[in-house]
Amino acid sequence: MKDIEEQQALILWDIDRTLLYVGDIDRQVYRETFAEVVGRPAERLPARGTGVTMPLAIRSLLLDNGVPKQAVPDLLPRMVELLPKRLASHTDDLRSQGVLMPGAEAALQAVHEHENWVATAVTGNLKPNALLKLAAFKLDAYLDTEIGGYASDDDRRPALVGVAQKRAQAKHGTAFTRTNTVIIGDSLEDVRTGLEGGAAVIGVPSGKTSARDLKEAAADVVLQNLEDVRQLLDAITSLTV
């Protein structure tokens, strides 16, 4: 009988621009949250497609719009608390304006159905925001979201790999390390998350980062998209044997 621990692998999915794209909805939510907490409109918004965690994006949002540094420790947690509520008010917009990335659902389903792979999310989203986005596209059925790593857990993305690994180990009894953990994402931040956090990286240039840049950042494998499911499954297998 084969050792189950040797067979199992943890697959960590990024969300934004890897699985789905919600357009300007996140930016609108930042606008609304900033205005409600600070009391005036934001003139500058976080950069698109960077992959940084929401708490760090909020910190930059505050500082870039002239909020005194000493006021940030008070305002930031208030914005973090409000942000999911504002996104929830845009649930219909997520469904009508958001789009699935090419091949995302079939890829998720194939990984989910592999008997020895555990699939979850590691994302710069706060957990409530991540769940809202996944549910809007019915993608949550393919992920064990309870063992994921979210910006609610830590504002440093590489730390989220360890968060997910510990949660997965507690549930499945398998030690998940760099040798049996794979992160799939579209940004340089996803690559850094894997390299520093302890996971192999599959890069997909479905966001603002090119395939060349993902390769130069040291992604282990770069796929053009998620549409070739067999290619994805083979890549995961090659990184976890």
Side-chain angles (χ1 to χ4, degrees):
M1 180 181 295
K2 293 183 179 180
D3 188 339
I4 294 177
E5 184 169 346
E6 291 179 355
Q7 297 176 339
Q8 284 192 309
L10 180 63
I11 316 303
L12 310 175
W13 289 93
D14 173 53
I15 295 177
D16 292 305
R17 296 177 185 259
T18 298
L19 297 177
L20 54 88
Y21 178 54
V22 299
D24 282 334
I25 296 173
D26 273 334
R27 292 169 73 80
Q28 179 60 28
V29 168
Y30 280 126
R31 289 188 191 96
E32 294 172 4
T33 304
F34 182 92
E36 184 168 341
V37 172
V38 180
R40 57 180 170 82
E43 296 180 359
R44 300 179 62 186
L45 294 174
R48 299 174 185 267
T50 63
V52 300
T53 62
M54 284 186 166
L56 293 183
I58 292 170
R59 177 179 173 81
S60 295
L61 175 64
L62 291 167
L63 295 174
D64 290 347
N65 284 277
V67 172
K69 188 174 182 179
Q70 61 269 27
V72 170
D74 174 56
L75 298 180
L76 193 151
R78 291 166 58 187
M79 291 188 66
V80 166
E81 181 180 3
L82 181 59
L83 205 68
K85 299 175 184 176
R86 299 307 310 154
L87 182 63
S89 71
H90 289 276
T91 299
D92 290 341
D93 295 331
L94 288 174
R95 297 192 184 102
S96 63
Q97 298 177 32
V99 295
L100 281 171
M101 304 308 294
E105 186 169 10
L108 272 172
Q109 183 175 358
V111 172
H112 170 72
E113 290 176 350
H114 193 290
E115 62 178 339
N116 295 318
W117 293 347
V118 178
T120 188
V122 159
T123 172
N125 284 277
L126 300 168
K127 184 175 182 179
N129 294 53
L131 297 183
L132 283 166
K133 291 178 181 181
L134 292 170
F137 294 90
K138 297 182 173 59
L139 300 183
D140 49 337
Y142 305 118
L143 298 169
D144 183 348
T145 55
E146 289 307 306
I147 61 170
Y150 307 92
S152 315
D153 299 308
D154 200 304
D155 63 12
R156 298 166 298 123
R157 279 202 65 174
L160 302 181
V161 174
V163 169
Q165 287 171 330
K166 289 177 182 177
R167 287 173 174 163
Q169 179 173 350
K171 183 170 183 176
H172 295 279
T174 294
F176 293 104
T177 66
R178 184 181 298 275
T179 62
N180 60 353
T181 305
V182 178
I183 184 168
I184 304 171
D186 67 282
S187 70
L188 296 180
E189 189 69 1
D190 292 310
V191 178
R192 186 177 78 90
T193 296
L195 294 178
E196 296 182 13
V201 180
I202 296 177
V204 184
S206 50
K208 298 189 69 177
T209 307
S210 68
R212 178 178 178 177
D213 286 345
L214 289 169
K215 290 177 182 177
E216 290 182 350
D220 295 277
V221 175
V222 177
L223 306 178
Q224 286 306 308
N225 52 53
L226 296 174
E227 294 183 274
D228 189 334
V229 174
R230 174 46 54 191
Q231 186 182 43
L232 172 66
L233 299 184
D234 288 345
I236 294 172
T237 299
S238 72
L239 294 170
T240 56
V241 293

